[in-house]
Amino acid sequence: MNNRYTEKILEAKDVVVKFNLRGRTLTAIRGISLDLYKGESLAIVGESGSGKSVFTKTFMGLLDANGRVDSGSILYKGNDLAKYTTEKEWLTIRGKEIAMVFQDPMTSLNPLKTVGKQIRETVELHQGLKGAEAKAKTIEILNDVGITMPEIRYKQYPHEFSGGMRQRAVIAIAVACNPNILICDEPTTALDVTIQAQILKLLHKLQEKYSLTIIYITHDLGVVANVADRIAVMYAGDIIEVGLCEEVFYNAKHPYTWALLSSLPQLGVKGEPLYSIKGTPPNLFHEIHGDAFAPRNPYALEVDFEVRPPYFEVSPTHKAKTWLLDPRAPKVEPPKLIVRMLEKWKEAPEHV
Amino acid sequence: MLKYVVKRILQSMATLVVVATVVFLLLRLMPEEGYFAEGYDKMDEAQIEAALTEMGLRDPLPVQLGNFFNGILHGDLGKSIIFRPKVPITKIIGPKIPYSLYFGLASIAISLGVGIPLGMVMARFKGKFLDNLGSAYVVLIKAVPAAVYFLFLQLYVSDALKIPMLFNEKKPVSWILPAVCMSLSSIATYAMWIRRYMVDELNKDYIKLARAKGLKNSLVMSRHVIRNAFVPMAQQLPSNILMTISGSIYVESLFSIPGMGGLLVSAIQRQDNTLVQALVLIYSCIGILGLFLGDLLMALCDPRIKLGKKGSGR
Ligand SMILES: Nc1ncnc2c1ncn2[C@@H]1O[C@H](COP(=O)(O)OP(=O)(O)O)[C@@H](O)[C@H]1O
Ligand SMILES: [Mg+2]
């Protein structure tokens, strides 16, 4: 298996993000290194609270005021974004280079401005168009994101749009920025299942038309199975496994990824209760020793509690942070449940 | 829109009729002494009865009410009885209006001009020194009874700045203190509103999106935050402004300003029934007008209020 994307567009190295909360320090991101390749779509999955949003917000300088990149670097076009501090610096990135689509389309649009105006504001800002040209471009983009009767929709307010339509409008704003990277933070979580699929399809279409590199953030592995080239699995502020989509689905190595796979509703058997991961994620206020997942991990080795595992390479594109991959570790097979389910799923993948 | 305006006007008129009726009925409960300028003590029962009958006060209530409304429709609010006997009330109130109006307008200008920038600064520096300073002012003004700091200003500040303690039409410096007194509380109110609404706005997702799409902070503020923060204010603003213009009861009597507020106090103190009735009615009209304008302004600012349709919500 090979990654067909080879040119790195963004490189995060050992990124640590800390928040100050009532005099205490919380480490939300504990040293993530991740390369993003031009043109790919990368999915970041993990339970809520695992740091997906925080990690990607560091690319745009959008951390809350009490948070900071404590160490590490984020290289983009030869600049280290982790060193950016001023608004002036971030304005060279926001929208222009990296744009974002938020989770809740119901609250992402200003209720007092027409949808057209809000998209047009972005067109004027990033494409240097004015007047009739800006309006024409806006209508073209509305059309691109699948909003019918764009001239009429242009003049309407967000409350006249349905949830799915609003998310299309939010996507239109992102696209109007003409970015290189588009971060979609749970873009479909707030939407109906049928609309979810439409939005994902739309993003896929736009990716080609506007040559975007897309990061999908989701807590649901099932959502990204069809759209992502690569998957990064996050747990407690770290990426514990990353690989091509097929590698993570069919050859997962980290017990946390197994647990995530086991809890996929699409793989469940009718009538049987869904698998759910026992225990709770670690408290990020405390320093974490060893593998953060160890206390919830039935396969944990003694060393998992003491020494933080490094990445073990499974293939050139696939690596995982678990001592189970160490040559000295005992051989552990993934739970029968997922092996069985995945085999079934391989035969009929259209269920996802 | 027209439909909505007409509907609200009709509603307001209905409210007005109800209020006028209630005012009228309540005034019937006042001591009858209030209908006699002098000599009430010396009159016997029969004389009193005769006088009351002559004034139409022994007619059946519905007839009295009819006469009352008929008068209002013809711009006749009755005649004062005790305060300035036999003088039509419109003549008494007329000359008072400019004083209340000018002081009201001055106070509005000061309170909006100071209160709104203050609130914006507080929101901008939320949790910092300037915000705390502003909050201290708001708490002080709202917690301490107005009488206390009015007296303080009147006694000490007038002395320190060598300006007159009481209003004097011929000395413009004497106008400053009452105008400031009238503004202190509304400055606090406006600052508090704007700060709160702006802080609310700053936490909204669409403000985050506006930042994420690369809009400068100053533009995020001017195009999104401030504009949106004014909408919830729009509803309350007209009432507030009208109330201020119609005269501050306390400040006017404290500084001896011959305005409407002072008049109400004297009328009540001297139990001039018809004058009280007329004044209460005027204040109710202003209140109702304020609510009406507030709703209208709000509807103009907020497209989510579906005009003329039922179940409009925010
Ligand atoms: N402003 C903040 N102050 C303190 N902690 C925060 C703040 N923002 C996020 N966090 C913490 O960072 C962790 C990761 O949050 P987040 O990235 O939003 O999770 P996800 O997007 O994966 O659901 C959480 O534990 C959250 O409590
Ligand atoms: Mg999130």
Side-chain angles (χ1 to χ4, degrees):
Chain A
M1 283 180 210
N2 241 318
N3 192 352
R4 55 194 180 100
Y5 305 99
T6 49
E7 188 190 334
K8 285 178 192 170
I9 185 166
L10 184 139
E11 290 177 70
K13 276 210 191 74
D14 302 315
V15 174
V16 174
V17 176
K18 295 190 173 174
F19 286 99
N20 286 326
L21 208 57
R22 281 174 232 112
R24 296 210 290 162
T25 307
L26 173 156
T27 310
I29 302 299
R30 303 180 300 121
I32 294 187
S33 299
L34 180 73
D35 295 335
L36 189 65
Y37 296 94
K38 195 170 163 60
E40 74 167 342
S41 27
L42 170 79
I44 302 181
V45 294
E47 284 168 294
S48 65
S50 55
K52 308 179 293 289
S53 303
V54 167
F55 177 53
T56 47
K57 277 180 185 168
T58 60
F59 305 167
M60 301 180 70
L62 290 175
L63 285 180
D64 294 331
N66 62 336
R68 60 179 195 279
V69 177
D70 192 64
S71 59
S73 63
I74 302 164
L75 289 181
Y76 179 81
K77 287 194 174 168
N79 296 317
D80 183 1
L81 305 185
K83 300 237 158 31
Y84 280 16
T85 48
T86 62
E87 183 186 31
K88 201 170 153 224
E89 286 170 317
W90 281 117
L91 286 179
T92 64
I93 299 293
R94 290 183 193 155
K96 206 171 279 169
E97 304 290 342
I98 308 177
M100 204 173 223
V101 171
F102 292 111
Q103 169 172 349
D104 190 352
M106 299 320 252
T107 56
S108 294
L109 295 169
N110 187 336
L112 302 184
K113 282 187 181 253
T114 60
V115 170
K117 245 202 187 133
Q118 297 186 51
I119 300 171
R120 182 182 163 155
E121 184 178 55
T122 323
V123 169
E124 288 172 350
L125 192 66
H126 291 295
Q127 309 200 7
L129 299 175
K130 280 204 191 80
E133 271 184 304
K135 181 169 181 183
K137 185 76 197 173
T138 304
I139 289 183
E140 185 192 319
I141 294 172
L142 278 170
N143 211 15
D144 278 350
V145 297
I147 291 179
T148 49
M149 299 186 296
E151 279 91 1
I152 296 171
R153 292 304 208 166
Y154 181 92
K155 294 194 209 82
Q156 289 185 334
Y157 288 93
H159 71 271
E160 297 170 82
F161 279 50
S162 67
M165 281 295 152
R166 284 192 210 191
Q167 195 61 305
R168 284 172 194 265
V170 174
I171 291 170
I173 290 177
V175 165
C177 297
N178 224 346
N180 288 321
I181 302 176
L182 179 62
I183 300 169
C184 301
D185 193 344
E186 314 236 9
T188 62
T189 305
L191 302 172
D192 291 350
V193 185
T194 48
I195 297 173
Q196 275 187 13
Q198 290 171 12
I199 295 289
L200 289 176
K201 220 166 159 186
L202 170 70
L203 285 168
H204 198 69
K205 193 191 94 187
L206 293 173
Q207 177 166 31
E208 279 180 14
K209 169 148 189 184
Y210 290 90
S211 29
L212 299 168
T213 304
I214 297 189
I215 300 178
Y216 291 100
I217 294 176
T218 174
H219 61 264
D220 183 357
L221 252 179
V223 165
V224 294
N226 291 324
V227 288
D229 301 307
R230 285 197 306 148
I231 295 178
V233 181
M234 265 190 91
Y235 184 77
D238 197 4
I239 290 178
I240 49 91
E241 180 155 12
V242 56
L244 297 178
C245 193
E246 312 85 80
E247 291 172 326
V248 171
F249 266 94
Y250 303 129
N251 194 22
K253 293 298 180 194
H254 197 288
Y256 178 66
T257 314
W258 295 343
L260 269 189
L261 287 166
S262 309
S263 49
L264 271 179
Q266 289 91 334
L267 298 186
V269 180
K270 243 198 179 124
E272 279 176 30
L274 267 182
Y275 176 86
S276 69
I277 309 169
K278 287 173 193 60
T280 50
N283 185 339
L284 298 174
F285 280 111
H286 300 161
E287 201 188 326
I288 293 169
H289 299 282
D291 181 355
F293 188 58
R296 304 168 77 183
N297 180 5
Y299 307 94
L301 310 171
E302 222 163 283
V303 62
D304 274 320
F305 288 93
E306 277 147 29
V307 187
R308 190 166 172 185
Y311 274 127
F312 289 92
E313 205 166 84
V314 182
S315 82
T317 50
H318 184 191
K319 54 192 180 175
K321 283 187 178 178
T322 168
W323 286 113
L324 291 179
L325 290 172
D326 190 281
R328 291 161 292 179
K331 226 47 223 120
V332 174
E333 287 299 319
K336 286 253 158 38
L337 184 71
I338 35 174
V339 176
R340 199 185 71 210
M341 285 191 301
L342 284 169
E343 271 164 8
K344 216 173 69 191
W345 184 44
K346 251 182 188 168
E347 291 156 17
E350 67 274 14
H351 288 315
V352 174
Chain B
M1 185 74 198
L2 192 68
K3 210 172 140 199
Y4 177 76
V5 174
V6 170
K7 195 181 114 197
R8 279 300 277 111
I9 287 178
L10 290 178
Q11 265 179 8
S12 303
M13 302 224 292
T15 318
L16 203 55
V17 169
V18 172
V19 169
T21 310
V22 170
V23 169
F24 173 82
L25 291 176
L26 283 178
L27 262 292
R28 295 312 99 176
L29 299 175
M30 294 284 280
E32 280 168 350
E33 193 184 333
Y35 292 103
F36 297 92
E38 53 204 7
Y40 180 78
D41 302 334
K42 289 175 212 133
M43 288 192 269
D44 59 30
E45 290 277 310
Q47 280 174 313
I48 292 173
E49 269 317 295
L52 285 175
T53 313
E54 204 221 331
M55 282 188 269
L57 289 164
R58 281 291 177 260
D59 295 344
L61 263 189
V63 175
Q64 287 190 40
L65 194 62
N67 290 339
F68 173 63
F69 275 114
N70 195 28
I72 294 177
L73 287 181
H74 293 94
D76 174 14
L77 291 170
K79 289 191 171 68
S80 165
I81 296 162
I82 299 171
F83 187 69
R84 283 170 63 190
K86 305 255 164 20
V87 178
I89 286 173
T90 41
K91 284 246 165 60
I92 298 180
I93 295 177
K96 305 271 181 195
I97 290 177
Y99 293 104
S100 293
L101 191 65
Y102 293 148
F103 272 107
L105 288 177
S107 158
I108 293 287
I110 298 173
S111 3
L112 289 176
V114 178
I116 287 181
L118 176 64
M120 285 180 183
V121 167
M122 286 167 73
R124 172 75 185 72
F125 298 100
K126 188 185 158 227
K128 306 258 168 61
F129 174 73
L130 285 174
D131 183 25
N132 293 338
L133 195 69
S135 301
Y137 170 75
V138 172
V139 170
L140 190 79
I141 290 292
K142 294 286 168 191
V144 177
V148 175
Y149 55 80
F150 283 175
L151 275 176
F152 173 82
L153 285 173
Q154 198 182 25
L155 295 179
Y156 296 104
V157 175
S158 66
D159 196 42
L161 298 180
K162 301 271 177 290
I163 51 180
M165 260 171 70
L166 295 179
F167 171 74
N168 181 343
E169 221 176 331
K170 299 195 186 69
K171 283 197 202 144
V173 278
S174 72
W175 306 351
I176 299 171
L177 218 47
V180 169
C181 278
M182 281 172 74
S183 314
L184 287 176
S185 169
S186 20
I187 289 175
T189 308
Y190 293 140
M192 204 168 63
W193 281 352
I194 274 290
R195 179 195 180 276
R196 183 179 132 216
Y197 297 139
M198 276 182 65
V199 168
D200 280 358
E201 285 303 314
L202 283 170
N203 287 323
K204 295 272 167 70
D205 282 354
Y206 51 81
I207 298 300
K208 291 181 189 148
L209 186 75
R211 287 230 167 81
K213 74 185 180 190
L215 210 57
K216 264 196 287 195
N217 197 35
S218 53
L219 287 181
V220 172
M221 283 290 176
S222 61
R223 287 196 196 159
H224 295 272
V225 177
I226 293 176
R227 189 184 177 286
N228 286 27
F230 266 100
V231 170
M233 265 188 83
Q235 197 174 25
Q236 289 145 309
L237 214 51
S239 291
N240 237 280
I241 290 178
L242 284 177
M243 279 303 169
T244 316
I245 291 176
S246 57
S248 154
I249 293 174
Y250 194 69
V251 173
E252 286 188 3
S253 48
L254 193 66
F255 289 92
S256 307
I257 299 168
M260 300 236 298
L263 183 64
L264 181 64
V265 175
S266 327
I268 292 172
Q269 277 169 351
R270 310 203 17 207
Q271 287 197 12
D272 189 333
N273 285 6
T274 46
L275 188 55
V276 172
Q277 174 178 289
L279 284 170
V280 171
L281 200 62
I282 289 173
Y283 279 105
S284 317
C285 280
I286 291 170
I288 291 169
L289 183 67
L291 289 179
F292 168 70
L293 291 179
D295 282 357
L296 209 62
L297 196 60
M298 173 102 160
L300 283 176
C301 294
D302 191 338
R304 285 165 298 178
I305 296 171
K306 291 210 182 75
L307 301 175
K309 276 193 198 137
K310 260 179 93 176
S312 62
R314 293 223 260 151

